[in-house]
Amino acid sequence: MSAELNQNYDPKEVESKWYKAWEKKGSFEGNVQNGKDSFAIMIPPPNVTGILHMGHVLDNTLQDIFIRRARVEGKSSLWFPGTDHASIATQHKVEKALRDEGTSRYELGREKFLERAWEWSDEHGGIIFNQLRKLGASCDWRRSRFTMDTAYQRSVQASFVEFYNRGYIYRGKRLVNWCPASQTALSNEEVEMRPQRGKLYKMRYEIVEEPGRFVEISTTRPETIMGDTGVAVHPNDERYADLVGKHCWRPFPRAEIPVVADRSVEKEFGTGVLKVTPAHDQVDFDIGKRHDLPLIDVMNPDGTLNELAGEEFDGMERFKARKFAVQKLEELGLLIDAEDYDNSVGFSERGGVPIEPRLSEQWYLKYPKVEEAKRAVEKGIIRFHPKRWEKVYLHWLNNIQDWCISRQLWWGQRIPVWYAKGADRSDSANWHVSVDGPSDPENWEQDEDVLDTWASSNLWPFATFGWPIEDQKVKAELDYFYPTSMLVTGFDIIFFWVARMIMSGLELMGESKEGLTDEEIAQRIPFKDIFIHGLIRDAKGRKMSKSLGNSPDPLDLIAKFGADGLRFGIINIAPSGSDILFAEERIEIGRNFCTKLWNACRFRQMAGGAAEGQSLEAIIDRLAGSQLEGYGNWILFRLLQTMEEIEGQFARFEMHQLTHSLHNFLWGDFCDWYVEAAKAMLQSKDDPRHDAALAVSDLVIRQSLLLLHPIMPHITEELWQAMGYSVDGEFLQDAGLLPAAQLRELLNAKSVSIDAEGARQIELIKELITQARATKAEYNVASKRDVTLFVTPTDDSCATLIEANLDTIKRLAGAASIELVEAVENLPGSVSALGTVYLDLSSAVDVEAEKERLSKELEKLTKAIQAGEGKLNNPSFVDKAPPQVVEGVRKQLLETKARRDEIARLLKSL
């Protein structure tokens, strides 16, 4: 039912009202609807401890745009929400709270600790969902999943069992990223590389077979000397060829260690000699394996040194041990030098401390269906947008290594492996692997570890439905919505999440089978399209963070600009796949666009004859048989063009271009041109063109609201209802958006023909008006409406077209009169395709006053040019000033000279 619009748009009231109405009606529910195309998106699950930040705003706005577009196109659409338990992040927060209470997880015990973790998750888990509601996210909230829900945990453990039974999971002792603070293995994604200034220590080891001869070695980690079991040189390094096969003395604890030749040694780094510590460095570990060197682990899980490091070091913190090792080298006369050294060091993202490569027994997954995962992208079965991210994805798959999936944590899905009590755990014959555990639990002990968070989220597209599924209704839902339509995510987790979901889907969504066909791949993949967006940075290109104070609170921005304003603004500045430079003033365009749209609809209401409850067909019926005047024909032509543009932009995933097209059409074409040109028709009911102009306005506004709805859902719903376009109280999303081609057919069927040549003629008239406005602006009379313009038409047909539109041209150009003449001399003008338009200066400006103003400006510009040339001719300035400053002066000088020449031209014309 239509309603009179308030003078001003209040986003707070409108957004809250409609979101509640949509939820109450079940507008976001995705259900199986046979005969309808399905469209599904799985939300990248935010951490249960998370709160809304600008990255979420971008990511979820993009998803909402796609899901709402699918709804207005009539598809059965499902946006599946959920949160991730974020095992290490959540455990870190809970452990910090326990430390503040003077206790620890070990004092509480596993069961009590997990109770506290659940309390924490329950308290914080719904915060981000409520914030997403404020953004307008249209998720099917009744389906919300949490990766620690009982059903989801069973899915994760079932995947472990399935992978194990298919031969992909094994247990092994290897080097892992180790966080001494959290005392767990970490994935590469959880390691943050930070630039550090440290020391490069040059020391010398004595040759055992040649007393008094030393080999010089450079290292950044003298605290691991005690774990050295070899020294390595490059086989082609002639400096050390005679040492290969001999031995060095390790300084402490003193021991003979062999000199080996290995191609992984960088001859140019340091001295070209490497101390090999296989238990504390990945490169060294690989060298040790190739040369059968022993492994000596000298470090405890908490980052202190153990008894294998020697009595002096036992129990010492690792960085204190570094200083002590340097001191001992100096005392032994083995330290040559210590120079400043800049390098990147891996830090535990959550623990905030440097990680340690540590030898540890862990569970590993050999990635399944790697070749099929590559083929899916190479053959276009899965498509990346932008396409360039395919290379990143394929590069990682071509260099893939087995995945350490176990974590030494308590919060997470516990590994479903039990060991026979008292038996050898290294023997798999003593293992029981199942979801439910052994039938005689008293004789077994479950593995203490939990699975890596990514080992649960990699099942997200199908575990959310309860895979493996026995319930037929749920299976029908999975069959209907899987594979999902698309994934929207950032490029930073292509490896850690996107690729893993693809491989897991290919392996688990069907029977175990080698060598899938393309058809089978298409049935098993988790999604068909992957839309990769960039990261949001501040205006200086810096990553947003609380510590820098450059990360705005999205809720503050919603309060200031409205959710729709924020959504439009953030997409408008987000080029496909590239980082986004955020500045608050760049978001204002969204709020301003809301205001412009609101005012355009208010103007249409004030023109009368509201389209109460009129469908698209009813509005077109009002146009049937009418002869469209020039601007009416042109704006409908532009409407169809814009619809086709947007269809192409969705197909090409060009979301920021989508906002530009809509802004250009609604603000530029409709408000600034059509409404202004048609005001006389719209405001006078006696004008024979009045009814057709109202119908044209209704058709444009109605279709524009449908086009805009995915980006700005709240204001478009408010206007849809208020303008009377809703039939029987339907929501906008249920009205159905026809493709441009079908709308054109509907118009043709009602004899509403749209003439492309007529639209082209209006574009020519617009160009003439634009040139007239530009000429007025040059002489500071843009706002004057009593000027006289002269036009010399290009030819007779142009003269006819101008004369037919003379009243409109006068009104929009702001002229009291326009005269068509054959020639004009000594007047300023601008050229257009229809002809040249001149400004009658005698009617526009006080010539003497304008001469005086321009002369003064010319004098100022001349002095500025002299000053700039003086700087650039001064060797002291050019040689000593920073290059960017000198370049800035050069650029400013060129701009000032161009302005001077323009002012001189204007003076001459006067």
Side-chain angles (χ1 to χ4, degrees), residues 649-779:
Q649 286 154 1
F650 268 103
R652 295 187 300 272
F653 293 79
E654 296 172 347
M655 292 301 99
H656 70 298
Q657 293 291 357
L658 174 73
T659 61
H660 298 167
S661 292
L662 286 165
H663 190 276
N664 291 342
F665 174 70
L666 271 163
W667 192 309
D669 294 339
F670 183 66
C671 294
D672 288 354
W673 287 102
Y674 178 73
V675 171
E676 291 301 317
K679 268 185 178 176
M681 295 179 260
L682 289 166
Q683 289 175 333
S684 173
K685 291 183 180 180
D686 296 331
D687 193 310
R689 302 167 298 175
H690 175 265
D691 290 347
L694 286 181
V696 166
S697 297
D698 281 329
L699 182 55
V700 170
I701 293 172
R702 183 190 187 278
Q703 297 309 108
S704 296
L705 292 178
L706 282 163
L707 295 174
L708 264 175
H709 181 68
I711 307 177
M712 306 167 78
H714 309 91
I715 189 172
T716 51
E717 187 71 74
E718 177 76 4
L719 293 172
W720 180 265
Q721 304 294 336
M723 296 297 290
Y725 302 139
S726 174
V727 178
D728 298 326
E730 68 182 356
F731 287 135
L732 190 158
Q733 71 170 35
D734 301 318
L737 173 64
L738 291 180
Q742 288 186 29
L743 178 58
R744 184 179 283 107
E745 288 175 7
L746 204 57
L747 288 166
N748 288 338
K750 295 290 184 177
S751 301
V752 183
S753 57
I754 298 171
D755 177 23
E757 175 57 25
R760 189 189 70 84
Q761 291 177 354
I762 296 298
E763 291 291 351
L764 295 175
I765 293 167
K766 281 176 59 194
E767 183 196 7
L768 178 69
I769 293 168
T770 300
Q771 293 301 330
R773 290 173 175 174
T775 306
K776 287 174 64 183
E778 272 190 326
Y779 288 90

Side-chain angles (χ1 to χ4, degrees), residues 200-207 214-220 225 228 230-233 240 243 248-251 257-259 269-277 329 334-337:
L200 185 63
Y201 301 94
K202 187 185 288 186
M203 56 190 182
R204 58 184 191 162
Y205 282 11
E206 189 175 14
I207 307 301
F214 294 85
V215 64
E216 295 181 356
I217 300 172
S218 293
T219 182
T220 60
I225 285 173
D228 289 358
V231 169
V233 298
Y240 308 114
L243 293 180
C248 291
W249 283 110
R250 186 181 66 204
I257 55 177
V259 179
F269 178 76
T271 62
V273 184
L274 182 72
K275 66 187 258 332
V276 184
T277 321
L329 286 169
L334 299 176
L335 183 68
I336 299 170
D337 192 18

